[in-house]
């Protein structure tokens, strides 16, 4: 990727897109194109067609998506499949029409079968049934991977797919009904501490295992792979270590300094029992995560809850 290349970061206001923009700027890429959803509705075919015809970007990071935690995925099932399919259909197709040199499609670890062997190797894609709570989102993301591969096969497009594990970092969503577990726990423990509460509710049994990657590490990996990786299929982006939701809750409790108890709410779903990425392909490509979980959570906690209130 040349420093003066015209790079479109789709979804630049989200946690992932904003981290990619920060990373690109830091690396000296200054010819970035960004559009808010009110300026360009990526679900609208005509708008996306017009945008690509006019702008003709050289590179595209497709980080725009409708995302959310386990309850949001399960409650807005139609929106998750429709909006994600619409966004990626439009962006991938018109990127090809505009002659984009390379496009990176970002998926998710939930594309793998619910009970796949662990750690999750890239070749486990489409080898078994999906986790029901996020099946519509996963199906859309699987379609995105297959679409990139089909455009590579038929039209010779250099479109690549990367699958990040569960992410956290600046610009996350802290809405307790829609967010992922980490921002939810930070908010719940912080508010419980502020309000002098004795108990914090943690959804599910606490036994599921999840892997967490700081979004700055993800952005670093994406920019690195955009410059070095040109293959069909997919590559996992993760840290290669996981933690139980109970231990994560205890870690967040400790970082926040909450002194009360945890209560596990069994009426809420656990989701997939485990989804640990196999990162040997990624390591073989020359990239490793750097930000440790305690360090990353501590930074995010300070940035979001401490800095903003002083
Ligand atoms: O992060 P999360 O919502 O999504 O939940 P998934 C992870 C685990 O944390 C589940 C538990 O077992 C939740 O029950 N959990 C405990 C909580 N307390 C809370 C809480 O207060 N809020 C939330 N949200 N969870 C999503 C998928 O799955 O992960 C998406 O639905 C996507 O499609 C994303 O793949 C990365 O890891 O289960």
């Amino acid at each position: 990727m040349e420093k003066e290349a015209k790079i479109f970061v789709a979804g630049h206001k989200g946690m992932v897109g904003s981290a990619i923009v920060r990373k690109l700027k830091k690396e000296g890429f200054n010819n970035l194109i960004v559009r808010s959803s009110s300026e360009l509705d990526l679900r609208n075919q005509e708008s996306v067609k017009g945008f690509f015809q006019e702008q003709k970007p050289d590179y595209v990071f497709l980080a725009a998506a409708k995302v959310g935690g386990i309850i949001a995925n399960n409650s807005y099932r139609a929106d998750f499949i429709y909006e994600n399919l619409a966004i990626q259909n439009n962006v991938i197709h018109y990127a090809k029409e505009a002659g984009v040199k390379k496009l990176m499609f970002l998926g998710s670890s939930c594309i793998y079968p619910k009970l796949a062997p662990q750690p999750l190797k890239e070749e486990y894609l489409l080898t078994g049934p999906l986790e029901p709570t996020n099946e519509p989102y996963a199906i859309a993301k699987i379609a995105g991977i297959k679409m990139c591969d089909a455009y590579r096969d038929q039209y010779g497009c250099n479109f690549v797919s990367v699958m990040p594990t569960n992410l956290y970092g600046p610009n996350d969503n802290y809405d307790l009904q829609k967010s992922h577990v980490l921002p939810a726990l930070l908010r719940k423990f912080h508010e419980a501490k502020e309000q002098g509460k004795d108990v914090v509710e943690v959804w599910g049994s606490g036994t599921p295992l999840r892997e967490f990657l700081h979004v700055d590490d993800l952005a670093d990996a994406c920019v690195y792979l955009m410059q070095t990786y040109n293959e069909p299929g997919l590559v996992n982006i993760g840290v290669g270590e996981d933690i139980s939701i109970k231990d994560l809750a205890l870690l967040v409790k400790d970082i926040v300094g909450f002194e009360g108890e945890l209560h596990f709410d069994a009426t809420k779903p656990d989701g997939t029992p485990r989804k640990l990425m196999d990162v040997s392909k990624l390591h073989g490509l020359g990239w490793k995560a750097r930000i440790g979980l305690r360090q990353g959570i501590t930074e995010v906690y300070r940035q979001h809850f401490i800095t903003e209130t002083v």
Side-chain angles (χ1 to χ4, degrees):
M1 220 164 32
E2 317 73 42
K3 292 283 174 205
E4 65 286 356
K6 204 170 183 185
I7 306 169
F8 174 42
V9 181
H12 77 289
K13 289 207 168 164
M15 179 170 74
V16 172
S18 60
I20 292 175
V21 167
R22 280 197 303 280
K23 176 67 186 169
L24 287 169
K25 285 188 176 165
K26 203 170 147 200
E27 295 289 313
F29 296 99
N30 287 313
N31 194 3
L32 306 185
I33 318 171
V34 293
R35 291 286 184 278
S36 64
S37 52
S38 57
E39 291 165 338
L40 173 63
D41 182 350
L42 294 172
R43 296 165 302 185
N44 183 301
Q45 189 178 12
E46 283 307 306
S47 307
V48 176
K49 182 180 178 184
F51 167 80
F52 273 96
Q53 277 175 350
E54 194 189 295
Q55 294 294 331
K56 298 203 180 313
D58 298 311
Y59 296 89
V60 175
F61 288 90
L62 179 38
K66 181 169 183 69
V67 299
I70 192 164
I71 295 286
N73 266 268
N74 203 21
S75 310
Y76 306 105
R77 299 175 69 85
D79 298 349
F80 271 80
I81 191 162
Y82 167 69
E83 294 190 28
N84 285 305
L85 283 174
I87 293 169
Q88 67 204 38
N89 278 349
N90 292 337
V91 174
I92 293 170
H93 181 70
Y94 290 106
K96 171 250 165 192
E97 293 285 285
V100 163
K101 287 185 193 163
K102 186 165 178 181
L103 175 145
M104 177 175 282
F105 172 68
L106 282 93
S108 162
S109 57
C110 69
I111 54 145
Y112 290 109
K114 176 179 175 117
L115 299 176
Q118 305 285 322
L120 298 158
K121 291 184 191 296
E122 285 84 355
E123 61 258 35
Y124 298 163
L125 180 67
L126 292 174
T127 55
L130 297 163
E131 153 61 28
T133 55
N134 56 33
E135 190 186 65
Y137 177 75
I139 292 280
K141 291 296 183 183
I142 293 169
I145 299 168
K146 294 297 174 187
M147 198 166 165
C148 287
D149 285 352
Y151 277 63
R152 174 182 292 274
D153 292 340
Q154 188 178 340
Y155 296 114
C157 298
N158 191 6
F159 291 175
V160 298
S161 298
V162 299
M163 297 303 120
T165 191
N166 287 34
L167 301 168
Y168 69 99
N171 299 325
D172 209 340
N173 177 0
Y174 287 85
D175 175 321
L176 291 180
Q177 291 312 309
K178 295 183 179 163
S179 73
H180 290 99
V181 61
L182 198 30
L185 291 180
L186 279 168
R187 178 169 169 187
K188 287 183 188 177
F189 281 111
H190 179 72
E191 290 181 356
K193 183 184 161 191
E194 298 274 288
Q195 295 161 11
K197 289 192 178 153
D198 299 327
V199 176
V200 160
E201 290 283 330
V202 180
W203 294 354
S205 63
T207 58
L209 292 153
R210 292 290 183 275
E211 175 184 10
F212 296 92
L213 178 73
H214 193 287
V215 74
D216 286 345
D217 264 343
L218 173 74
D220 192 72
C222 289
V223 172
Y224 176 77
L225 293 172
M226 191 61 140
Q227 298 177 93
T228 53
Y229 173 77
N230 302 295
E231 289 168 34
L234 56 156
V235 56
N236 292 337
I237 305 183
V239 291
E241 274 173 40
D242 57 6
I243 181 172
S244 74
I245 296 301
K246 182 179 177 191
D247 286 344
L248 179 76
L250 292 171
L251 178 60
V252 175
K253 174 181 183 265
D254 186 49
I255 290 168
V256 172
F258 171 70
E259 306 216 316
E261 303 292 318
L262 310 184
H263 174 259
F264 290 92
D265 176 359
T267 66
K268 295 288 196 301
D270 270 345
T272 306
R274 190 176 192 196
K275 45 177 176 176
L276 174 65
M277 292 293 211
D278 184 310
V279 283
S280 36
K281 183 170 176 184
L282 181 67
H283 289 181
L285 291 163
W287 190 90
K288 274 190 182 164
R290 280 186 280 249
I291 306 172
L293 188 57
R294 175 178 279 274
Q295 176 202 346
I297 298 176
T298 305
E299 276 172 25
V300 169
Y301 179 57
R302 290 210 186 108
Q303 282 159 359
H304 192 80
F305 291 94
I306 309 296
T307 327
E308 284 186 5
T309 51
V310 288

